[in-house]
Amino acid sequence: MTLTSLAYRRLRIPKDAPFELRPSSPGKGWGGFATRLIKQGEQILKEEPLFVIPKPTQYITNEDLWAAFRRLTPADQGQFLLLRDNAKQPFMMSKEAFAENSFALPAKFGHGLFLVHSRFNHSCLPNATVPASSNDIITLVAIEDIMAGEEITFCYNNDFECKIRCERHKILRFVCNCKACLVGTPFQQLSDVRRRFIRGLIYLTAGAGIDGKSQDSSSSVIADHRLREAADNLSIPLSNRLIYLLLTLYLLEEEGLLDYLMRERFEPPVVVTSSLFQTESNAEIVKTAMAQKTWQGKMLIAFRLYGRHDAADESLPEMLRMLRMLRSA
Ligand SMILES: C[S@@+](CC[C@H](N)C(=O)[O-])C[C@H]1O[C@@H](n2cnc3c(N)ncnc32)[C@H](O)[C@@H]1O
């Protein structure tokens, strides 16, 4: 344990916090570890920013940061000066310190410096999350039960469920070694296939990538141009649409990413889509599929619908296009 990393011992942590800060596995500096069982959905940490810079990242300057630093109380300045580059040496530049320890605050179109949230390491298969906040206060929430002694991690980006290992590492600018990143393992190889597949399936059902944009032919994950055009025009038939949605949920589950927040995001479209069928024979299959207990079971039955036309197919694209227009208005 180096003297510099011991600086973290002096960080202000809530007295009743269910975690402690200590060294993590090699290369990961320090991290947050559960000191007792933390139940799924439990709030692990609620934190106010030390300061906020109300600017997009690319416009934040060292001068902005020094001005914010000077406005802090001496005690808060002391806390800022405890920050270390991955628990090693102090940061050379305040911009680096800010980049490593800040979170975007959508409500303010700016970024806040969070001393304690930033001590938690990343995983592409996390056990916690920091949901988007509507104000300056952010929270760390368990997305599964976390055992005492287990490292608490969250995913640093919000679209990693559809990014493969090398894409994730390019964005992170460090090499993560979680189960989905450990090269040479069958899980890792399957993980890349699953996440690329999830990206394509999201495109097919939403008619846009996770960034809300349509893809040009060079960057598209959908190789078949007719299929991509059908996705862009929101004219994927209802039967296929339901199969793609169920497949997405099944793959997320296989990947270990189907936590309660993912379910909140992906289950409603399945419920809505399954309620739209107008052709009686199709509606019967959907009913049987939806009665199955598992996503795999639902998907296997729903595959019987593949390629089947439904009376709702005539009006569906128009309805979806109107919804898209309303959302973007
Ligand atoms: C916000 S800090 C996290 C806390 C940091 N470990 C510390 O000791 O201060 C982010 C840095 O931690 C390291 N890190 C976080 N998650 C990691 C992971 N899964 N694998 C390797 N390094 C990681 C990287 O150096 C990253 O730039």
Side-chain angles (χ1 to χ4, degrees):
M1 207 178 289
T2 62
L3 266 180
T4 44
S5 62
L6 285 175
Y8 287 166
R9 292 252 183 263
R10 285 185 276 137
L11 279 175
R12 282 190 303 248
I13 309 246
K15 282 212 163 45
D16 55 351
F19 65 86
E20 62 180 0
L21 299 180
R22 62 176 161 90
S24 179
S25 42
K28 284 169 67 183
W30 277 39
F33 290 79
T35 47
R36 62 160 172 80
L37 168 69
I38 303 173
K39 300 290 281 179
Q40 175 194 300
E42 200 179 322
Q43 189 176 289
I44 301 168
L45 171 68
K46 192 171 182 178
E47 191 181 14
E48 279 180 30
L50 195 67
F51 58 84
V52 174
I53 307 285
K55 276 185 177 183
T57 333
Q58 65 270 34
Y59 299 122
I60 298 175
T61 62
N62 274 320
E63 288 68 43
D64 292 327
L65 296 167
W66 278 113
F69 179 79
R70 278 196 300 271
R71 283 194 293 272
L72 294 175
T73 64
D76 282 354
Q77 288 182 345
Q79 288 283 298
F80 181 82
L81 294 173
L82 294 175
L83 292 175
R84 298 290 180 268
D85 188 355
N86 204 22
K88 293 193 286 281
Q89 64 280 3
F91 287 96
M92 298 293 285
M93 303 273 286
S94 42
K95 259 174 91 169
E96 285 167 10
F98 190 72
E100 277 284 293
N101 295 281
S102 60
F103 286 70
L105 295 168
K108 277 229 167 115
F109 304 107
H111 292 77
L113 186 118
F114 292 88
L115 293 164
V116 189
H117 268 82
S118 303
R119 306 283 56 77
F120 291 86
N121 282 318
H122 161 89
S123 172
C124 307
L125 291 169
N127 52 20
T129 186
V130 181
S133 158
S134 54
N135 53 37
D136 281 1
I137 297 170
I138 62 170
T139 50
L140 181 66
V141 181
I143 48 178
E144 58 187 50
D145 289 355
I146 306 173
M147 302 302 143
E150 213 182 309
E151 178 160 15
I152 304 168
T153 55
F154 67 94
C155 184
Y156 286 1
N157 283 66
N158 59 10
D159 59 357
F160 274 11
E161 70 277 8
C162 49
K163 292 236 161 28
I164 62 171
R165 178 182 182 274
C166 62
E167 292 170 329
R168 300 195 297 269
H169 291 184
K170 213 166 144 189
I171 295 167
L172 290 168
R173 287 181 284 122
F174 59 78
V175 176
C176 171
N177 62 358
C178 72
K179 194 174 154 198
C181 290
L182 265 189
V183 198
T185 62
F187 185 93
Q188 198 287 314
Q189 284 164 357
L190 273 174
S191 166
D192 271 3
V193 174
R194 282 191 286 257
R195 291 183 193 228
R196 191 176 279 275
F197 215 159
I198 291 169
R199 174 140 111 223
L201 291 166
I202 290 178
Y203 197 89
L204 289 176
T205 48
I210 195 81
D211 54 0
K213 294 186 187 139
S214 69
Q215 296 162 2
D216 60 40
S217 48
S218 59
S219 69
S220 180
V221 73
I222 317 278
D224 181 332
H225 72 96
R226 276 168 308 185
L227 191 57
R228 201 184 61 245
E229 273 164 33
D232 286 339
N233 299 332
L234 298 171
S235 53
I236 297 284
L238 189 56
S239 297
N240 296 12
R241 199 169 269 286
L242 181 65
I243 293 167
Y244 297 153
L245 285 168
L246 291 171
L247 194 48
T248 307
L249 278 150
Y250 168 66
L251 291 170
L252 284 169
E253 190 168 52
E254 286 290 290
E255 184 66 7
L257 286 175
L258 194 58
D259 55 69
Y260 76 100
L261 289 172
M262 277 296 186
R263 282 203 301 271
E264 273 175 27
R265 179 173 147 201
F266 284 100
E267 277 181 15
V270 171
V271 175
V272 172
T273 306
S274 61
S275 72
L276 295 176
F277 285 83
Q278 288 175 7
T279 302
E280 214 173 301
S281 55
N282 291 345
E284 270 308 305
I285 298 174
V286 174
K287 202 169 145 198
T288 313
M290 296 310 286
Q292 307 304 305
K293 285 201 174 73
T294 62
W295 292 110
Q296 186 183 25
K298 290 184 211 298
M299 181 188 69
L300 289 175
I301 302 278
F303 262 116
R304 291 186 202 155
L305 292 164
Y306 196 78
R308 285 176 69 132
H309 178 78
D310 192 272
D313 283 334
E314 319 311 335
S315 53
L316 185 66
E318 202 48 46
M319 189 182 92
L320 292 173
R321 279 179 219 132
M322 268 173 58
L323 280 175
R324 181 157 72 180
M325 268 169 56
L326 283 174
R327 259 189 242 119
S328 60

